[in-house]
Amino acid sequence: MTWRAEDQRLLERLEDEALFEQVWRALAGTDDGAPHPRAAGVLVALREDAETRGLVEAARRGDMAGLLKALHRPDPARLAPRHAHHLALLWDRVADVLEPTHETGSVLARKHSLAMWAWLAAEPAYLEALAERVIDGALPPPEVGRAVQEAPLASLDRLGARALADANERGDRGRLALAALRLVPEACDDAGCGDELRRRLEARSRRHREAAVDAAIRRVDDRIEQSLIDHAPVAELVEHASEAAAIWQWAGRDEQVERFLVQRLTPALWDRYRERAWSDVAALLRPLQAPVESLAIRIESDPSKLAYAAPCAQIFVFMAEVASQFERQLALAERALLLCETHRNGRLVLADLLVERGLRRLDRAGVFGAGDALNDAAADIRRAESLFPQLKRLPAAKQRLKAKGVDLDA
Amino acid sequence: MPEPTDENPFERWGIDPEQGPAAITERMRELIEDATDEATQKAIRAAWEALTLHPARRLTAALGAHPDSHGVLGAAPPRPPRRAPSQVSLELRDLLARPSALAALGLEREAEAPLPEPTDPIVDPDG
């Protein structure tokens, strides 16, 4: 009996399917949810490439490490389109199976899948050929072209739809979809994307994230609006602010929510501030602390976010005003000016606190007040004057300093 | 948009996406003929409609299905050649155990003993 080429192909298919069962178990940690046996085709390209053939042979002998690494980190320069297609689907499947139990692994698997779709987006010839065979002339060429262009981005659309669907309930699937969408820049790196494609993918990812976050905060926004119209008790606003902070966590500490919190609650904070309702101000600030701190770090590390510096600084000023410890008040006021050097209220509050510290230092300096305490007090009052020369307490403070022998106007 | 595999009609019904609408129809016809219950027939018909009447949906499903990287299976291997009938004619005595085998089993005496009378459980119930 002769051994024919098709017999060899059948043997290889069966051997690949047997090995793929082990590969799936290694990737997903379970036999459940395995993809269609055709997914074993992911081994074909590896077997046919001289550089990776040994990995498949080693895996058959029980050493899976090299093969798994090749599946995790395929070299974009050596990828074949069909192999990338297999990998895109395989990793998406792994992500689905891991989702309920291994969130980090699931998100990373999703990123691998996105990287492969991104790689395919840069290889339209494969998708065009596939589309021609599948559509078989049933659509006009421009429509086929559009479908081919959109196809690799569809995985982003699917994640966006999941995030949007879960926005109101802040569900886990939506949260993980948003986490995966945030990894699009990394996926582009892994795929070796060019600038134009990267911009396209990142813009699509951003649009989906914004849509989901918008949907999540819309309801809170409406409630805040209603509470403000009703002059509702602060506890109601605190509840809404806490919900917005929960959305911030759900959305992976999203900047959009940070900006929303700052912009939306600042007027309410001003109202309570003018009423000198300090405990209300403190209560309303509590849920804002972590998001505002996060926004401040973004602003400090990215000059393009300068537009948000002043509103964010104002929140730190509020925090400084109601902090219970003097040193904490000073630190918060300093933080406000670090964010926005020209912030009027920040300068006023810090100047006032510096005068206060200067006077306390003068008190400690004693009758013959000399030495470090006097010098430190002079430095504080001098800085206060430079920050806010019109400060009402400033002349009296300078007078006291003069009485100790330090004339700042000399 | 890639759908989860178990919902992908190409994978669920074992169709190669690249074979085109004619192959889809042919395969679906086979599946409907083989289907034993109405619910399955209905599901197959719905999948056929989705895949053949909506080309864009067909492309979406094709992108969500693993390509067949192993290629078509081809024809089954040829049957082994039929053996020619044996030229040796067997007789009843060829079926008897050889003395050497009986000796090895220690059954020489039993082999030489006369055969017992045939019994008929209907005629002789004690037999």
Side-chain angles (χ1 to χ4, degrees), chain A residues 201-216:
Chain A
L201 294 171
E202 289 186 2
R204 180 72 64 97
S205 157
R206 193 166 43 249
R207 206 177 74 200
H208 284 309
R209 288 198 327 265
E210 286 173 0
V213 171
D214 265 346

Side-chain angles (χ1 to χ4, degrees), chain A residues 136 269 294 336 346:
Chain A
D136 198 26
L269 282 161
S294 171

Side-chain angles (χ1 to χ4, degrees), chain A residues 1 18 27 33 64 116 144 156 172 233-234 244 246 277 282 294 297 307 315 323 364 381 407:
Chain A
M1 191 171 107
L27 294 176
M64 303 280 282
M116 291 301 97
V144 177
L156 296 178
D172 288 339
V234 76
S294 171
I297 291 168
I315 300 292
R364 278 203 302 278
I381 293 166
D407 185 359

Side-chain angles (χ1 to χ4, degrees), chain A residues 129-289:
Chain A
L130 179 66
E132 277 170 22
R133 282 194 295 271
V134 171
I135 290 179
D136 198 26
L139 286 179
E143 270 191 58
V144 177
R146 265 197 301 278
V148 165
Q149 267 217 327
E150 280 297 303
L153 279 73
S155 53
L156 296 178
D157 296 345
R158 180 180 163 196
L159 291 171
R162 275 188 194 181
L164 192 61
D166 260 8
N168 275 342
E169 302 303 321
R170 298 198 293 277
D172 288 339
R173 290 195 86 203
R175 177 170 53 80
L176 296 177
L178 285 173
L181 285 169
R182 277 199 307 280
L183 293 181
V184 164
E186 275 184 45
C188 289
D189 290 343
D190 293 349
C193 282
D195 289 344
E196 194 190 328
L197 176 60
R198 174 185 288 271
R199 271 195 297 276
R200 219 174 115 215
L201 294 171
E202 289 186 2
R204 180 72 64 97
S205 157
R206 193 166 43 249
R207 206 177 74 200
H208 284 309
R209 288 198 327 265
E210 286 173 0
V213 171
D214 265 346
I217 57 181
R218 197 172 302 130
R219 207 166 50 168
V220 183
D221 193 18
D222 291 345
R223 289 178 186 164
I224 291 174
E225 180 70 26
Q226 195 57 49
S227 296
L228 292 175
I229 291 168
D230 297 345
H231 298 289
V234 76
E236 201 173 294
L237 277 171
V238 171
E239 192 183 314
H240 303 328
S242 301
E243 193 181 345
I247 292 170
W248 175 67
Q249 289 287 2
W250 173 77
R253 302 177 170 221
D254 189 88
E255 183 184 342
Q256 195 180 341
V257 186
E258 295 164 6
R259 296 200 305 261
F260 164 78
L261 276 166
V262 168
Q263 286 168 356
R264 202 71 184 87
L265 291 170
T266 296
L269 282 161
W270 271 120
D271 288 346
R272 302 306 195 277
Y273 182 85
R274 287 190 199 98
E275 293 162 7
R276 298 186 168 272
W278 305 122
S279 62
D280 284 3
V281 173
L284 203 44
L285 284 170
R286 216 161 288 133
L288 270 67
Q289 273 179 3

Side-chain angles (χ1 to χ4, degrees), chain B residues 48-65:
Chain B
W48 175 78
E49 281 180 10
L51 289 179
T52 54
L53 301 183
H54 306 280
R57 212 180 290 177
R58 186 160 72 242
L59 177 60
T60 298
L63 286 164

Side-chain angles (χ1 to χ4, degrees), chain A residues 1 4 6-7 9-10 12-13 16-17 35-36 38-42 44 47 82 85-87 89-90 92-93 96 117 126-127 130-131 133-136 138-139 144 147-148 151 154-155 157-158, chain B residues 1-7 10-22 24 51-52 55-56 58-60 62-80:
Chain A
M1 191 171 107
R4 305 167 309 157
E6 50 261 57
D7 299 330
R9 279 207 304 274
L10 176 59
E12 284 169 353
R13 175 193 282 263
D16 283 349
E17 286 179 6
H36 191 275
R38 277 191 204 136
V42 76
V44 171
R47 198 157 36 71
R82 192 176 276 264
H85 192 181
H86 275 300
L87 285 172
L89 296 173
L90 172 62
D92 209 35
R93 185 75 170 172
D96 283 343
W117 284 118
Y126 169 76
L127 296 174
L130 179 66
R133 282 194 295 271
V134 171
I135 290 179
D136 198 26
L139 286 179
V144 177
V148 165
S155 53
D157 296 345
R158 180 180 163 196
Chain B
M1 174 66 240
E3 294 293 336
T5 305
D6 47 0
E7 290 170 20
F10 286 117
E11 294 190 338
R12 182 172 179 194
W13 304 110
I15 304 165
D16 182 355
E18 298 185 34
Q19 298 297 307
I24 294 170
L51 289 179
T52 54
R58 186 160 72 242
L59 177 60
T60 298
L63 286 164
H66 280 277
D68 192 350
S69 294
H70 286 95
V72 286
L73 283 179
R79 289 175 180 278

